[in-house]
Amino acid sequence: MRSLNIAIVFLMLAAFASASARAQNGPVGGEGEPWRKQQWHLPSSDAEHPARSLLFRPPGDGPFRLAVIAHATTQNVLRRVQMPQPEYTALAAFLVARGFTVLVPERLGHGATGGRYTEDQGGCDEADYVKSGRATAEQISLALEFMRGQNFVRKDGAVVLGHSAGGWGALALATQDPKALSAIVLFAPGRGGHANDFPNRICAPHTLIAAATEFGKAARIPVTWLVAANDTYFAPAFSQQLASAFRSGGDKVDFRSIPASGSEGHWMIETEAGVKAVSAELDRALKAAPPVAAKKP
């Protein structure tokens, strides 16, 4: 009987802990600078590990269109758990200036969010890029749905901007409703780059191309695909192959190679100079799919 009582208490505590974790979802603390910067906790696929996120907003009450920035990742466990919270400050500033509420969620298995890393692609030779991309997409989608429930966010006209593995996950979202998600912008999307830490080497490149073809099937969202000339993770020539494979599914893809930026073009979108270099392409992408007018309550 004593063992039964202990077991019941343990289950009650576990349920309480889980409920407490779920209750954490929402803003954490007040707004600050720049651009009303605020910490948020968002739902993840693990209720005990809410996604630590940064939110930036224009002045006023909205409702604003939503832009979600999906960050890069790494297969290296130590680098991943030590990863600082992603901010993409220059890109967020660009989007806020154009009337967007900007969310930068930190996904499971990274930094302070912690929890199990669900995006593992597996070994180099037997990488499962479809599975890893869909796992990333699931977490992006959870963030989108939660923020659409906020009164300062519009239900329609959202955009997802994905960097590297975040961009790879964004490709898997291209089957969503175009009214809810109006555009996807990718910055050197892919997985398996810098295989064994060597530049211009990719784990199982043909598998990655096949996965891009799979993601292109039934895709409905306009995609803008940007890569710097000096990207050594997914060079323009290979990125063009990936974009063509995705396009073969019937989706519209606007592929653009950007002049070299910094010492490694793969990280250009994390810098002010990189955002400036792609500003014209970003404006074109954001205007290419006019958002549906928000209905008044």
Side-chain angles (χ1 to χ4, degrees), residues 49-72:
H49 292 276
R52 269 61 172 177
S53 309
L54 285 177
L55 188 73
F56 303 90
R57 280 189 267 181
D61 297 328
F64 309 107
R65 289 177 70 190
L66 175 65
V68 176
I69 301 175
H71 63 78

Side-chain angles (χ1 to χ4, degrees), residues 171-178 215 217-221:
L171 279 179
L173 293 173
T175 58
Q176 289 202 358
D177 182 354
F215 287 157
K217 294 176 181 177
R220 300 190 291 166
I221 310 297

Side-chain angles (χ1 to χ4, degrees), residues 98-125:
R98 284 152 181 79
F100 285 87
T101 282
V102 182
L103 179 74
V104 190
E106 181 182 72
R107 301 189 301 275
L108 278 175
H110 299 83
T113 293
R116 184 174 68 89
Y117 183 58
T118 63
E119 304 171 47
D120 192 350
Q121 69 197 34
C124 193
D125 293 333

